Amino acid sequence: MPYVSPKTLASAAGVSESSIKRWCDQGVIATEKTAGGHRRITLASATEYLRKMGRSVAPQLIGLPLRSHEASSATSDMSQQFLNAIVLGDEEACRQIIFQSHLTGESASRIFDEIITPAFRCIGTGWECDEVEIYQERRACGTCLRIIGEWQQRIPSSPANAPLAIGGSVESDPYSLPTAMVETVLQQLGWRSKSLGSRLPFETLIAAVRDLKPDLLWLSVSHLDDEQQFLDGYRSFYQAIDGIVPIVIGGRALTEHVRQRIHYTCFCDNLQHLESFTNTLVRSHRQRLSRRALTPINVSTVPKKARRKETRNDSTKDH
Ligand code: B12
């Protein structure tokens, strides 16, 4: 059963942690106590309390799956089942939930955004209030990476002329699930997509762009040790690649404050946004190709600057 800490509930409700603890002790919020004397509040009791308070709260703040039109009750049920199975280490059940959802027509992006990611948010909340052991979190990551690997094996390989996407997480970022998910979503969409892994220094990203000449580069940024160091490194990287490849970025550490200080083609909150963006990119690429078929252009006679400008015009967002 997932639990919420008094601290998390306090920030979700916009009240102080000490008020929450007092209401727990007075029985206003149904609370259990661990053997060590820590208060623990079930998600059901936290939700009930927020409802009674008439608070409008983002459910993901307390580790609940999104309830908006984006998340059907079917995927949130699946997410709950996936959470139970992955915390218990029941890998076979996890595999079945993921592959069955896919077989019943859910896209990879939706399965990742609405089944797996909310489950990991609950694991994070559970870890924070001592309800999920560190080994359970580590095991959950391993299980999930294995299942994603098996999923990739089932995706037919893309033809050699399919667009190429490469990417990974930046130097200070050990998180591997987001990048494995991006790689899979793009493969599912017919891209040749190759993860370069986690903790990539910017210098090696520059070398990868130079050597592999991708059509898209993704960067996942879930954790930054030093924001200024990241901004400096990113700026040199952006200058070095000189607009030759669209850059799609995502991840928890890319706050508005950070995003305002860097240049990129598109920021995605989740993988469904990535899917929409890449579909737009592919459509506009096809349109350009068919326009070129009508008016043949010899690319080698187009000045380099103009070619660069054309690539930049693909962007849905560039600032
Ligand atoms: C697993 C995990 C770890 C593992 C990761 C292992 C691995 N191999 O990946 C490890 C052990 C490294 C870890 C370490 C720590 N963790 Co941790 N971790 C988590 C956990 C439970 C899951 C993270 C995850 O992978 N989620 C699944 C991914 C897919 O979800 P996501 O990141 O939200 O990504 C979505 C979008 O952002 C987007 N996206 C992300 N990247 C990109 C990129 C592109 C291109 C696109 C298009 C989209 C996109 O799409 C995804 C799907 O929708 C989270 C809980 C949580 N809330 O997520 C805590 C959590 C992030 N960890 C936390 C903490 C505190 C830590 C540690 C400090 C713990 C410690 N004391 O050591 C360290 C810090 C290490 C570091 N240097 O960063 C806190 C962070 C709190 C905060 N305010 O920042 C969290 C929130 C847990 C909690 N509730 O307290 N952690």
Side-chain angles (χ1 to χ4, degrees), residues 71-83:
S72 69
S73 60
T75 49
S76 54
D77 285 353
M78 287 293 191
S79 184
Q80 186 60 50
Q81 287 174 29
F82 182 80
L83 171 65

Side-chain angles (χ1 to χ4, degrees), residues 8 60-61 63 109-114 116-129 132 134 137-138 140-142 144-145 148 168-169 172-179 181-182 186 198-199 217-225 247-254 266-275 277:
T8 308
Q60 65 271 34
L61 253 183
S109 58
R110 210 155 167 239
I111 291 174
F112 291 147
D113 285 343
E114 294 178 10
I116 301 183
T117 300
F120 272 90
R121 289 202 180 124
C122 287
I123 290 176
T125 311
W127 165 78
E128 210 180 19
C129 47
V132 172
I134 290 177
E137 182 209 79
R138 303 288 199 276
C141 287
C144 204
L145 287 169
I148 293 176
S169 77
S172 59
D173 181 351
Y175 289 87
S176 45
L177 283 174
T179 232
M181 292 180 181
V182 171
L186 292 172
S198 316
R199 295 188 179 278
L217 175 81
W218 82 80
L219 285 181
S220 182
V221 190
S222 300
H223 176 81
L224 292 177
D225 281 336
I247 304 173
V248 55
I249 58 170
R252 263 171 293 111
L254 291 176
C266 178
F267 167 76
C268 298
D269 277 315
N270 58 40
L271 300 160
Q272 289 164 94
H273 293 168
L274 172 72
E275 184 165 348
F277 168 67

Side-chain angles (χ1 to χ4, degrees), residues 30 35 64 71 91 103 135 137 188 206 249 256 284 301-303 316:
L64 284 172
E91 186 158 332
L103 286 173
Y135 84 83
E137 182 209 79
Q188 194 82 67
I206 297 170
I249 58 170
E256 203 176 339
S284 74
T301 62
V302 178
T316 55

Side-chain angles (χ1 to χ4, degrees), residues 259 264-267 277 314-319:
R259 295 199 311 270
Y264 52 88
T265 313
C266 178
F267 167 76
F277 168 67
D314 283 345
S315 321
T316 55
K317 182 176 177 191
D318 193 353
H319 62 133

Side-chain angles (χ1 to χ4, degrees), residues 11-13 50 55-67:
S11 78
L50 290 167
R55 301 273 171 180
S56 154
V57 109
Q60 65 271 34
L61 253 183
I62 53 165
L64 284 172
L66 287 172
R67 263 173 298 161

